[in-house]
Amino acid sequence: MPEPTEPAEPPSSRRPEHPHTATLKRLEQSSGKLAAAAIARMDEQLPWYRAMPPENRSWIGLVAQAGIAAFTEWFRHPETPQAISTDVFGTAPRELTRAITLRQTVEMVRTTIEVVETAIDEVAAPGDESVLREALLVYAREIAFATAQVYAQAAEARGAWDARLESLVVNAVLSGEADEGAVSRAAALGWNSPEHVAVVLGTAPDGDSELTVEAIRRAARHAKLQVLTGVLGNRLVVIAGGSNDPLRAAKSLIGPYAPGPVVAGPVVGDLLSATRSAQAAAAGLKACAAWPDAPRPVLADDLLPERAMAGDPAARQLLVEEIYRPLEAAGSALLETLSVYLEQATSLEGAARMLFVHPNTVRYRLRRVTDVTGWLPSDVRSAFTLRVALILGRLADGEPQH
């Protein structure tokens, strides 16, 4: 009785034999040798590779080996779509994209491809040279696209992280919580600790906030300013460094702001002190409604009387300490003359009659007021500021002492 035989495997289940089996086998056997040759050539031709620490060089070596192994697998199944970026670059840590630049990665890939290309005549079975060369050409294109994708994804991730980091710094300055941690985060974003810093506040435009932030950065580059910026709620906040003129800085950055008031805080010495500038700018932005004809942009210090009336204690203190107290220290004649001129008289002659002095004496004393305070009594806007300062100074003097 004949022995039973196993049923033949259905033709549909048989795996088709690779059309270039000999070449594939030789390619598999040569992969280690090719990877070593690629690393040796990189060490010979690429100075940046020789200068790298051993850890990074070992990772690059693994990437080269993975690249050749991926080419072998791709040659085995050219019809099957594969994630080359995962096969090749997935062997190295994500930090490697920070350690080597895109240009250096391109040089690494080019060197590896060149090594494989020069070995084609040795690796390919007789008659398969053109097939292997064509396969390598297509694979080189795919690996180029994969390289671009890896760096594009890394750039997007860094951009998103940098945006979050920048938002944290801007929010810390605006909320008064800036500390050394905020300074460190700003340094990581490229902030070089300029000597002059001012905060500019205004309304953010509708639409994509990322486009607004990028427009601010373009304007800052043109004006040669350092900036940290972000959209917080409906406010566009810019921390500008590198100019001791906050009004000039605000004018150079005003383009991306939405219509409405834009206020520049006073210049401070560093990022930790920028909270004071931000608070002054925020108080000025709130008080702008009381001065409809305010210029755009406007300095927060030009809004001192409106800020004081809106309840800003810093503005009240500034008006008293920088106007009233210096006049008080300069002598009672200046305070009396300024008070009569602003509150009771409408001219130099009228003030002179009320004070029983010559008009030239009044003129001289008013010039002294300008020298002491920096404000011109004959100017309508300055006169308003001086008058508010006098009122606040008297109120301060009239408060009971505890």
Side-chain angles (χ1 to χ4, degrees):
M1 186 173 181
E3 293 182 3
T5 59
E6 293 182 2
E9 186 178 357
S12 60
S13 65
R14 294 176 185 170
R15 190 170 187 176
E17 187 177 355
H18 194 278
H20 306 284
T21 304
T23 297
L24 178 60
K25 186 175 181 180
R26 296 172 72 169
L27 185 60
E28 290 173 341
Q29 293 172 345
S30 303
S31 60
K33 178 181 176 182
L34 291 174
I39 295 169
R41 183 172 294 192
M42 280 189 278
D43 189 61
E44 177 185 348
Q45 296 183 352
L46 304 179
W48 59 264
Y49 175 78
R50 294 194 298 270
M52 296 191 86
E55 181 182 5
N56 287 341
R57 291 179 62 177
S58 66
W59 282 121
I60 291 175
L62 287 177
V63 171
Q65 294 175 27
I68 295 173
F71 172 59
T72 304
E73 191 62 25
W74 185 84
F75 185 72
R76 185 195 310 276
H77 302 294
E79 75 287 348
T80 305
Q82 297 180 41
I84 292 178
S85 61
T86 303
D87 291 343
V88 177
F89 298 102
T91 60
R94 186 174 299 177
E95 290 77 8
L96 192 63
T97 57
R98 292 181 180 268
I100 64 174
T101 65
L102 176 59
R103 179 185 60 80
Q104 291 170 341
T105 304
V106 170
E107 290 178 351
M108 176 189 70
V109 171
R110 180 188 292 120
T111 301
T112 305
I113 294 295
E114 287 175 352
V115 166
V116 177
E117 188 176 22
T118 56
I120 282 179
D121 292 337
E122 177 185 345
V123 173
D128 283 352
E129 292 86 357
S130 60
V131 174
L132 189 58
R133 187 172 285 107
E134 182 179 349
L136 182 63
L137 181 63
V138 176
Y139 178 77
R141 182 194 66 186
E142 296 299 323
I143 199 71
F145 287 144
T147 302
Q149 182 182 22
V150 167
Y151 275 83
Q153 290 173 344
E156 288 177 359
R158 281 199 299 272
W161 173 251
D162 287 351
R164 288 193 292 270
L165 206 61
E166 189 169 12
S167 180
L168 286 173
V169 174
V170 171
N171 187 64
V173 169
L174 199 61
S175 63
E177 298 175 357
D179 54 14
E180 290 299 335
V183 174
S184 298
R185 287 189 284 271
L189 293 166
W191 181 263
N192 294 327
S193 300
E195 293 182 357
H196 305 104
V197 180
V199 176
V200 183
L201 283 182
T203 304
D206 296 331
D208 192 340
S209 61
E210 292 183 7
L211 296 179
T212 301
V213 167
E214 185 55 37
I216 288 289
R217 291 200 179 102
R218 284 197 301 271
R221 286 193 295 268
H222 182 74
K224 296 180 172 55
L225 296 172
Q226 292 187 56
V227 293
L228 296 167
T229 183
V231 176
L232 303 181
N234 65 342
R235 288 183 179 180
L236 175 54
V237 186
V238 179
I239 304 170
S243 173
N244 60 358
D245 185 347
L247 195 60
R248 184 191 70 81
K251 287 179 179 178
S252 65
L253 301 171
I254 200 170
Y257 284 88
V262 174
V263 182
V267 170
V268 294
D270 53 38
L271 190 62
L272 285 177
S273 305
T275 289
R276 180 162 56 86
S277 182
Q279 290 173 343
L285 194 62
K286 177 182 176 182
C288 260
W291 187 13
D293 296 328
R296 185 179 186 269
V298 62
L299 292 174
D301 284 352
D302 288 344
L303 287 157
L304 284 175
E306 288 81 6
R307 287 167 52 193
M309 291 181 181
D312 180 13
R316 293 185 176 190
Q317 183 177 357
L318 281 172
L319 288 169
V320 173
E321 297 300 328
E322 296 187 1
I323 295 179
Y324 185 81
R325 295 303 177 203
L327 287 174
E328 190 179 45
S332 60
L334 289 189
L335 270 178
E336 182 185 19
T337 301
L338 181 62
S339 175
V340 169
Y341 178 76
L342 293 178
E343 300 172 1
Q344 300 183 41
T346 58
S347 65
L348 289 173
E349 291 75 12
R353 286 193 299 271
M354 297 187 70
L355 294 168
F356 301 103
V357 296
H358 194 277
N360 284 342
T361 302
V362 175
R363 186 177 289 108
Y364 168 76
R365 290 176 181 175
L366 294 181
R367 281 201 301 267
R368 286 279 296 131
V369 169
T370 301
D371 293 340
V372 171
T373 67
W375 297 87
L376 185 65
S378 58
D379 176 76
V380 175
R381 179 69 194 173
S382 295
F384 174 57
T385 303
L386 289 167
R387 189 167 184 179
V388 172
L390 290 180
I391 294 171
L392 292 173
R394 292 169 188 150
L395 288 173
D397 284 346
E399 290 179 354
Q401 301 297 317
H402 297 287

